[in-house]
Amino acid sequence: MTPLDHLFQAARGAAPQRDEDAPFGFATRVVAAWHAQPAASPWALLTLRAIGFASVLLLTAAVSNAWPGGDPATLDPDIVDAVPDVLFIP
Amino acid sequence: MPDADLDVPACLAQVRAGDDAAARALVEHLHPLVIRIVRSHLPRRVAEEDLAQDIFLKMFTKLDQYEARDGKPFDHWLSRIAVRTCLDSLRAEKRRPEWRHADLGESERSWLDYLASVESHEPPTDAFAARDLVERLLSQLPADDRLILTLLDLEQKSVAEISALTGWGHSRIKVRAFRSRRKLRQLLITLST
């Protein structure tokens, strides 16, 4: 056993013995507080879900914008020679 | 007085049907279980009765999510809610108490000297001082470390039991326990120097 094990072993032997019964009126108070809680309305739940869905969409859009998904040089249209190409079409 | 022979499944059915007397009986029956968990993981500035009330309110609010046919006893389901509520409360604790070697009593200091000593000798015998010192040390640790050491080393729960209570995987618990013990040893070194 390590010294820490000895410490924990000794501490286990001194666990305080206290009353575990509910204090007078505790159960009544809990049940009253339960009934006093506002019930979650279906509209609130729907709004929360809509906000969550919109956040996911925004995040996906932001990530896809930040990642072009390829070499930018190959994505740019080759416009340097566009005018001569049009003018000198054989 | 709690009814030791309370038929919990029948009582739950009555609570779901809106019977307040059954709800009160359920609270009284389960209070010893909840208060034991609360006392083991109570943050410094929170009253145990307030935390117990929060746990019971969560129990009633989430009652529809409990399915007895999953094979999980109701007290296991409630214990998990209780441990997670205590953990949230410990995490919300903004500041941990600060204390120094000089704040300790003589018996606690003898434990600390024993823990810091490199030579092996007999451990002190004062169990209450050991308890006080353990509580002081654990109160210095982050919430997750405190929870894991309390469950594993003070309450001697198995990894499987801790997993059922916290929802953490076995390997996460073992790694966390290793790191928490290391933090505790570092804390001991800091305090004894």
Side-chain angles (χ1 to χ4, degrees):
Chain A
M1 273 174 84
T2 65
L4 261 182
D5 293 332
H6 280 294
L7 177 74
F8 279 114
Q9 189 184 40
R12 281 195 296 273
Q17 300 294 320
R18 284 185 280 177
D19 187 16
E20 293 176 345
D21 289 345
F24 180 74
F26 178 79
T28 308
R29 204 162 56 246
V30 169
V31 174
W34 173 39
H35 289 313
Q37 279 186 328
S41 77
W43 285 113
L45 288 174
L46 197 66
T47 311
L48 275 177
R49 281 181 190 171
I51 290 171
F53 184 66
S55 307
V56 170
L57 274 182
L58 276 173
L59 196 67
T60 313
V63 168
S64 62
N65 271 342
W67 254 298
D71 183 9
T74 59
L75 292 174
D76 288 339
D78 193 8
I79 57 165
V80 178
D81 298 326
V83 173
D85 283 351
V86 170
L87 291 176
F88 300 108
I89 289 173
Chain B
M1 283 290 288
D3 180 4
D5 300 324
L6 186 80
D7 181 357
V8 174
C11 191
L12 287 174
Q14 287 173 297
V15 173
R16 283 183 175 126
D19 184 343
D20 279 359
R24 285 195 295 274
L26 191 66
V27 170
E28 284 179 2
H29 176 73
L30 295 167
H31 188 270
L33 169 77
V34 169
I35 207 70
R36 270 197 298 274
I37 294 172
V38 164
R39 284 172 183 164
S40 298
H41 312 286
L42 187 68
R44 213 163 43 106
R45 292 178 189 272
V46 178
E48 62 181 37
E49 215 174 291
D50 292 345
L51 199 50
Q53 180 167 325
D54 283 352
I55 292 164
F56 281 115
L57 287 178
K58 279 188 187 172
M59 176 190 84
F60 284 127
T61 311
K62 296 181 173 182
L63 204 55
D64 292 336
Q65 296 171 18
Y66 172 72
E67 292 289 343
R69 62 173 176 269
D70 289 346
K72 195 189 288 180
F74 187 72
D75 52 352
H76 289 200
W77 182 78
L78 178 61
S79 298
R80 189 166 175 161
I81 291 179
V83 166
R84 294 204 69 87
T85 307
C86 289
L87 184 60
D88 289 343
S89 188
L90 283 170
R91 282 175 180 160
E93 209 175 22
K94 292 275 185 292
R95 291 180 61 187
R96 287 191 277 276
E98 287 181 12
W99 53 276
R100 298 184 187 117
H101 192 271
D103 299 331
L104 302 174
E106 198 178 322
S107 303
E108 284 176 278
R109 253 182 294 197
S110 67
W111 267 108
L112 195 61
D113 294 342
Y114 162 72
L115 293 165
S117 169
V118 283
E119 295 164 21
S120 63
H121 52 86
E122 281 297 301
T125 51
D126 190 340
F128 290 100
R131 185 88 193 180
D132 289 345
L133 184 62
V134 164
E135 283 176 4
R136 276 181 193 270
L137 290 169
L138 291 180
S139 70
Q140 299 287 297
L141 295 176
D144 291 27
D145 298 312
R146 181 178 167 174
L147 180 89
I148 206 86
L149 290 180
T150 304
L151 292 172
L152 206 59
D153 290 327
L154 262 185
E155 299 180 3
Q156 291 194 297
K157 294 204 184 302
S158 68
V159 172
E161 286 172 314
I162 297 172
S163 178
L165 281 172
T166 56
W168 297 344
H170 288 208
S171 48
R172 182 180 171 185
I173 292 169
K174 286 175 190 171
V175 170
R176 170 65 68 185
F178 175 77
R179 288 179 182 161
S180 305
R181 287 188 186 127
R182 193 172 55 192
K183 280 184 197 169
L184 195 61
R185 278 193 290 272
Q186 281 169 346
L187 184 61
L188 282 167
I189 293 167
T190 314
L191 283 168
S192 29
T193 50

